[in-house]
Amino acid sequence: MSSLREYSDKELFLLIKCRDEHAFTETYRRYWAMLFRHARRMLRSDDDATDIIQDVFATLWSKADQIEPEISVSSYLYASTRNRVIDFINKGKRHDYYVSSLQEFVNKGSFITDNAVLEKELKSRIEKEIAGLPPKMRKTFELSRKHHLSYREIAEITDTSEGTVKKQIYNALKLLKPKFGINFFAFFFFFIR
């Protein structure tokens, strides 16, 4: 793999399109830190920036054959990072609006029993799906989302690397999201504490 360090970005990208894992690893090595700093400056969160960069690289790998070869790798990666950060921030604005609307609804006393029943059913369904995750993935996911621990703290508790922790959480979300869609994330972050 050391010989790939001398390859141009374009040469690496052509190899990635041919599913060359070493070329992908070299591209990841070249750009991860720069993209992380770029996302971190905008988000002010190591965890969110890391999640976004992981997603950018996962998309590069999975959709490399759909990306035009004339596009430079650095331009693609920076544009993808910027777009994901913007999407993340926009979702955050909707999230803040939803939370304030929900709080106003509760404060007015309009929170009726039907909603409590629906909430309990959804929570039970989510817990069941989380319980169905592989044991290590489940433990990592619960430490992150229920106990609000950082990747570093989880890595120390589980005696694994931060990279493994990030991958476990990414995979858990990837498995759970299609089952619940936006309802899962809205409910999970508001009610499971």
Side-chain angles (χ1 to χ4, degrees), residues 71 86 89 107 141 173 190:
I71 296 173
I86 290 168
I89 290 169
N107 289 342
F141 186 77
L173 290 171
F190 298 133

Side-chain angles (χ1 to χ4, degrees), residues 5-181:
R5 291 181 182 195
E6 298 172 16
Y7 278 48
S8 70
D9 286 351
K10 187 168 189 167
E11 290 170 319
L12 288 174
F13 183 57
L14 292 173
L15 290 171
I16 291 170
K17 288 174 86 63
C18 295
R19 314 305 288 164
D20 187 302
E21 292 178 16
H22 296 297
F24 177 79
T25 301
E26 175 61 21
T27 303
Y28 185 91
R29 186 196 65 75
R30 280 185 195 180
Y31 286 100
W32 191 92
M34 288 183 284
L35 294 171
F36 172 79
R37 285 191 300 273
H38 183 58
R40 173 70 176 83
R41 260 193 308 270
M42 292 183 277
L43 296 171
R44 295 186 176 96
S45 166
D46 288 353
D47 289 346
D48 292 336
T50 299
D51 288 345
I52 284 174
I53 302 309
Q54 292 281 104
D55 194 36
V56 166
F57 277 103
T59 302
L60 172 65
W61 179 252
S62 65
K63 296 188 176 180
D65 58 333
Q66 299 169 22
I67 301 168
E68 296 298 323
E70 306 84 50
I71 296 173
S72 78
V73 174
S74 62
S75 296
Y76 170 81
L77 292 172
Y78 275 100
S80 294
T81 299
R82 184 194 65 236
N83 292 339
R84 288 193 196 309
V85 167
I86 290 168
D87 288 347
F88 181 84
I89 290 169
N90 287 338
K91 286 177 184 173
K93 287 178 182 171
R94 286 194 298 273
H95 167 84
D96 292 344
Y97 173 77
Y98 179 78
V99 170
S100 65
S101 296
L102 180 63
Q103 188 61 49
E104 185 179 328
F105 180 72
V106 170
N107 289 342
K108 287 181 179 177
S110 305
F111 197 62
I112 57 174
T113 308
D114 287 348
N115 287 342
V117 170
L118 291 173
E119 175 188 321
K120 186 175 179 182
E121 288 174 1
L122 185 55
K123 183 174 181 177
S124 172
R125 189 170 157 221
I126 289 171
E127 289 293 341
K128 181 179 176 187
E129 291 297 333
I130 291 171
L133 293 172
K136 289 180 182 178
M137 184 185 293
R138 182 181 70 239
K139 181 178 181 180
T140 300
F141 186 77
E142 288 176 339
L143 288 170
S144 170
R145 295 309 195 250
K146 286 185 178 180
H147 302 286
H148 309 289
L149 298 179
S150 70
Y151 291 158
R152 180 173 289 138
E153 291 168 324
I154 296 168
E156 290 173 9
I157 290 170
T158 59
D159 195 31
T160 58
S161 70
E162 284 184 58
T164 300
V165 170
K166 292 171 195 171
K167 186 68 175 168
Q168 290 283 2
I169 292 170
Y170 173 80
N171 288 338
L173 290 171
K174 196 172 176 182
L175 290 171
L176 294 169
K177 185 177 179 182
K179 296 179 182 187
F180 297 98

